[in-house]
Amino acid sequence: MTTSNVARAAMAALIATAFAASARAEIKNYEFQLVQPTVKAGADRIVTVRLVNKASGKTVPDAVIFASRLDMAPDGMQEMATKVTPMPGTEPGTYRFKATFGMAGRWQLSLGAKVQSETGTVENKLLVTAEK
């Protein structure tokens, strides 16, 4: 093989690899969704979310959630944050969190997660309304 044929073969292999990688789902195809958008204000409330592959509509089990924050940023009070404690999910693809909603209003649940066999991070900000 000549040098130019080797270069063409290498380029073809790189292109084939790129197409194969793009055939998998992209991280932007995943999102968290609230199961219930409202909770009662108070201590030890449970918020449940599901992680969904938007292309297939299926829930995604076994994601690694490494970032979670709950604050009142939607009402202009981002300094009003509360502790978020992960809890066991009740079904595959659902993720539960326990938190104290100190007052009624709009709370923002920010989540970051890694999905098995995908590169990148799923990041979403979800609006939870705490009612009296």
Side-chain angles (χ1 to χ4, degrees), residues 65 68 84-88 96-98:
I65 298 175
S68 59
V84 179
T85 305
M87 305 291 291
R96 296 173 22 149
F97 304 92
K98 181 169 65 171

Side-chain angles (χ1 to χ4, degrees), residues 15 17 23 31 38 57 59 63 68 77 85 94 115 118-120:
I15 291 170
T17 302
E31 72 177 359
T38 60
T59 58
S68 59
M77 297 183 281
T85 305
T94 63
V115 175
E118 296 292 342
T119 57

Side-chain angles (χ1 to χ4, degrees), residues 27 46 53 56 98 107:
I27 202 71
I46 302 294
N53 179 325
S56 69
K98 181 169 65 171
W107 292 77

Side-chain angles (χ1 to χ4, degrees), residues 6 8 11 27 29 39 42 66 71 81 89 92 102 109 112 115 123 130:
V6 171
R8 282 189 206 129
M11 183 59 74
I27 202 71
N29 288 339
V39 297
F66 63 87
D71 61 42
L109 177 61
V115 175
E123 296 181 66

Side-chain angles (χ1 to χ4, degrees), residues 6 22 45 48 50 64-66 81 88 101-102 113:
V6 171
S22 67
R45 302 299 185 214
T48 304
R50 66 177 68 91
V64 178
I65 298 175
F66 63 87
F101 291 82

Side-chain angles (χ1 to χ4, degrees), residues 16-71:
T17 302
F19 279 118
S22 67
R24 294 187 317 179
E26 293 184 22
I27 202 71
K28 68 181 181 181
N29 288 339
Y30 297 92
E31 72 177 359
F32 283 103
Q33 299 172 346
L34 286 168
V35 171
Q36 184 73 9
T38 60
V39 297
K40 291 282 189 191
D44 298 332
R45 302 299 185 214
I46 302 294
V47 176
T48 304
V49 299
R50 66 177 68 91
L51 180 57
V52 176
N53 179 325
K54 295 186 289 185
S56 69
K58 295 181 179 178
T59 58
V60 180
D62 303 322
V64 178
I65 298 175
F66 63 87
S68 59
R69 178 179 166 88
L70 184 63
D71 61 42

